[in-house]
Amino acid sequence: MADARTSVNVPAATAAPETPAELERRNAAARRAWARAGLVYVLLLVFSIFFMGPFLFATLSSLKDDPIEWPPRIDPPQLKPANWVAAWRLGKAGGGSGWFGSFGPGAEVPFEVTYFVPDGVEPQAPIVRVPRRLPGAGIGAVRPGAFAADYAIVSDVVETGRKPAEQDGVTGQLVTYSFTIRHNGEDVVADRLPLDLEVPFRQTFHSATLAPNRIERLGRVQSWNNVTPGVIPYVFYNYTRVFQENYSRTTGKNLFLTWIGNSFFLAVVKVLTHLVIASMTGYALARLRFPGRNALFMLILFSMMIPGQVTFISNYLVLRDGIFGLSRLWGQETLLNSFTGVILSGLCGGSAVFIMKQFFESLPRELEESARIDGAGPATIYSRIVLPLARPALGAVAILTFQGVWNEFFWPLIVLTTPQDKFTLTVGLLNLRQAYGAVALDWGPLLAGAFISALPVIIVFLVFQRYFVEGISFTGIKG
Amino acid sequence: MQEALAAYLFLLPFVLSLLIFFGYAFVRAIYFSFTDYNMFDDPNWVGLANYIAIFRETRFLVALRNSIGFSLIVTACQTAFALVLAVVLNNKIKGIAFFRTAYYMPSVASSVVVTLIFLWAFQRTGLINYVIEWFLQYWPFLAAFLALAAVLQLLQVLWDRSRGRPVRWFEPGAVLTSLMLSAAGVTLLWATGTLSPLEVEPVRIVWLNTRRSIPEGGGWLSLSMPLVSIMMLNTWTTAPTFMLLYLAGLQDIPRELYEAAAVDGANRWQQFRFVTVPQLKHITFLVVALGLIGSLQMFDQVAIIGSAAPLEAVITLAYYVYSNAFPGGALPRVGIASAAAVILSILTLIAVLIQRRVVEGNG
């Protein structure tokens, strides 16, 4: 258990020349230590799969056309380099770039598709259609834009090759067809070129220039979201949907980007207010003597125990009335649906004060004593001596506050309700969940949105994890 | 005197916001709970009517039952789990920082993100059902692996003992060899076709949109299936945070205590039971207190799951309060919401006090 190191240390005690028996015993102990380390690694790995597995698999699935396909694959077409190359070429052929494709004047998109046709069935060329498909579902479906269908000219479908083949024990042949889709030259660029191919029943899809996104109607219809995607929209299709399909009806602003910006803004401002206020309060609690100190400390502890659901109604009303009418001083009638309200109602949390107080109490008093003898007042001691030493604690407060604000859900949900471009990212995600999940859940954009919103806080965690650990142990020391 | 004045200046911003957004709010919540306030008309004093009303409302009783059950089970599971993780992580071996990071991942992401991922994993054709199906198909492999490993271990230990070496039943070196040989053996059995995956019915367990409960027909004692799913989720996300607390505590335990226990002949389990656990007592108090406080407030998961599960199955006190204060369309029932909120905070305080008593009583 906790003492793997003890057993490693046992043999080190021998000082006198060793007898063969002692040597044998020491070797045995060393072997045992190694073996135990091996077992611990196995256990550690099993736990990591348990904790990381769902995240990694959700991330992988966020790339898929159908994130709840059965059985779940770990190699979706979006991860195959052959498809990346095809997406790049097709993106260029469509008149866009290799990274971000489009379908514009001058486009000439060659496409090839191969079917398996069992013996005795006469191969037929597929019917090629460029559908007027609305990108996405739900809120995305009303998005205006040019339809590639209005500008695409499909060439004749030509058979370009046959070769004998066997599939699932059935002999037959692989028949390849090719065709070209051209743009009619009008000065309109469509951002995507959807494609449907339809073949008779027993003719099954084998391969194509780009892997299809869906195969429908018992294999008769192969369907592509976009055959001129470019690499990024092909691999990160669900991610592009999250950004493209969520825009404000009133202002036309990109909602998802706005939400990210809002969350960042609130997080940064609140980190600053927490740093200033928590360090001041923590210092006063740790070092200064004043009547009511214990009472205040108990009140802080008590406030940390009481659930937010108890205080939120009053706080909602206080913000609605602009903090007793104070907000009229700067011209705001109400602080609901305003970032000022969110910031003022959460200037500093009790746990941040706790971390700072804990840290200041661990500093040696002598530093301050000598400054006091030199005639420095509390403000000078705080700003010149104590604060510069408090970097680890300040780091912990900053990181934990950033995480807390970025992930906060309940309070923003209550205060920020309209318009949609006031939402924070977490409230926005609830909005996405309702938009994409009203009937059947459209998991692609949901998982993509979840991944994007988890990314900043994961990066912050990876970079500053030392502070995370310190901060959490600081709160733990008090007991 | 001057020092006190300086202190008050230092404290001013925090105390001001604490008084407005906590003190005033808390007092007002208690006041509202005795009124019929609806956010628009002036409140009228109604005495205990709200408290009597909620205890006659089934939805409140369900929420109360759900919250208490959820809180007790989740706190117990995550505390035990956190302790186990911390003990495993408290090894001074290479790469331990990587594992600590990996374990902490579920605690970093927001509850909204984690709940979305959870919703996805608990779909009918989701990851969880797939893992279960995989396990049902391959359990003979696992069983063969464990049985083979046990036999190999037995043989090795007997062999060593017959040669006069004093080895224990779970000698780490032998265990490692047994596991590796057993893995090779099972692979061989698979390659030769002796073992093959079982044919099983596709697993399509409905985790969320169901009125099933566990145990079936247990009345007020049984928990709904969706709530049990959320319990698993919550244990998974909060255990790592508490693991860090335990880890900090473990590193503060003096090594001499273990050495003394070893000298007295305590085996590993006894060392854990009589040194580690008592030494971590104050951390355990903190972990349980934070766990109870956090799990009694469970709200985000219910809100995100929304229509994916029947509300009666997952509603908690926190959600009950919210849905009465902001009923969307209807007039807010602030009095009812506040009464439920007051009960929620009383519950929290009682839980913390009781467990403080228990922890102190044990020492």
Side-chain angles (χ1 to χ4, degrees), chain B residues 5-216:
Chain B
L5 194 67
Y8 290 137
L9 281 177
F10 270 85
L11 292 168
L12 189 66
F14 182 73
V15 169
L16 216 54
S17 85
L18 188 71
L19 287 182
I20 295 176
F21 292 106
F22 177 73
Y24 179 60
F26 185 66
V27 173
R28 267 224 289 191
I30 295 175
Y31 166 66
F32 284 150
S33 74
F34 295 106
T35 68
D36 64 353
Y37 191 47
N38 62 10
M39 288 203 193
F40 301 102
D41 305 324
D42 285 334
N44 297 311
W45 186 266
V46 294
L48 287 170
N50 290 327
Y51 289 93
I52 297 168
I54 51 174
F55 276 101
R56 287 195 181 139
E57 195 183 340
T58 323
R59 175 169 285 193
F60 171 77
L61 293 176
V62 171
L64 185 66
R65 196 270 319 253
N66 282 353
S67 276
I68 294 176
F70 181 84
S71 180
L72 291 181
I73 297 179
V74 167
T75 305
C77 292
Q78 72 196 12
T79 306
F81 195 32
L83 181 58
V84 170
L85 285 174
V87 167
V88 174
L89 271 186
N90 192 31
N91 273 295
K92 288 220 162 47
I93 54 179
K94 275 207 177 70
I96 205 78
F98 164 80
F99 291 107
R100 198 181 56 202
T101 309
Y103 294 3
Y104 196 61
M105 213 48 106
S107 285
V108 175
S110 68
S111 53
V112 179
V113 167
V114 173
T115 310
L116 278 177
I117 291 179
F118 153 85
L119 260 179
W120 161 79
F122 280 81
Q123 292 296 302
R124 282 182 69 238
T125 55
L127 183 64
I128 302 293
N129 280 349
Y130 183 71
V131 170
I132 293 176
E133 181 172 319
W134 186 89
F135 184 77
L136 289 178
Q137 279 175 330
Y138 287 89
W139 73 264
F141 287 76
L142 211 62
F145 173 74
L146 291 177
L148 198 58
V151 170
L152 287 168
Q153 179 72 13
L154 188 72
L155 288 178
Q156 283 188 75
V157 171
L158 289 180
W159 166 258
D160 274 353
R161 287 196 176 170
S162 73
R163 304 277 300 269
R165 293 201 201 104
V167 291
R168 281 172 295 181
W169 285 108
F170 288 101
E171 188 67 30
V175 170
L176 207 59
T177 331
S178 308
L179 290 180
M180 287 196 287
L181 284 177
S182 177
V186 170
T187 316
L188 197 72
L189 287 175
W190 191 5
T192 56
T194 321
L195 270 179
S196 57
L198 296 180
E199 293 282 329
V200 292
E201 292 267 299
V203 175
R204 293 289 185 275
I205 300 173
V206 180
W207 291 94
L208 295 173
N209 207 349
T210 170
R211 295 197 177 274
R212 277 180 56 197
S213 54
I214 300 170
E216 202 83 63

Side-chain angles (χ1 to χ4, degrees), chain A residues 1 32 41 44 289 433, chain B residues 3 94 103 171 268 304:
Chain A
M1 294 262 158
R32 189 176 293 169
Y41 276 124
L44 286 171
R289 278 181 308 262
R433 187 244 173 277
Chain B
E3 189 174 311
K94 275 207 177 70
Y103 294 3
E171 188 67 30
R268 185 109 344 128
I304 299 287

Side-chain angles (χ1 to χ4, degrees), chain A residues 30-79:
Chain A
R31 270 202 305 277
R32 189 176 293 169
W34 276 105
R36 179 170 299 132
L39 285 179
V40 168
Y41 276 124
V42 172
L43 201 59
L44 286 171
L45 271 175
V46 170
F47 279 132
S48 344
I49 292 172
F50 179 74
F51 281 115
M52 295 280 285
F55 273 108
L56 295 178
F57 202 71
T59 309
L60 174 74
S61 300
S62 70
L63 301 175
K64 291 181 182 177
D65 292 314
D66 178 15
I68 51 171
E69 63 184 358
W70 188 279
R73 285 175 297 174
I74 52 165
D75 57 339
Q78 282 80 359
L79 284 185

Side-chain angles (χ1 to χ4, degrees), chain B residues 234-253:
Chain B
N234 243 49
T235 308
W236 182 68
T237 50
T238 32
T241 313
F242 296 135
M243 168 196 82
L244 286 188
L245 289 180
Y246 269 129
L247 205 51
L250 280 174
Q251 279 155 3
D252 289 342
I253 300 179

Side-chain angles (χ1 to χ4, degrees), chain A residues 100-120:
Chain A
F100 291 93
S102 62
F103 184 65
E108 192 158 340
V109 184
F111 208 78
E112 208 166 67
V113 59
T114 305
Y115 293 95
F116 173 77
V117 189
D119 285 336

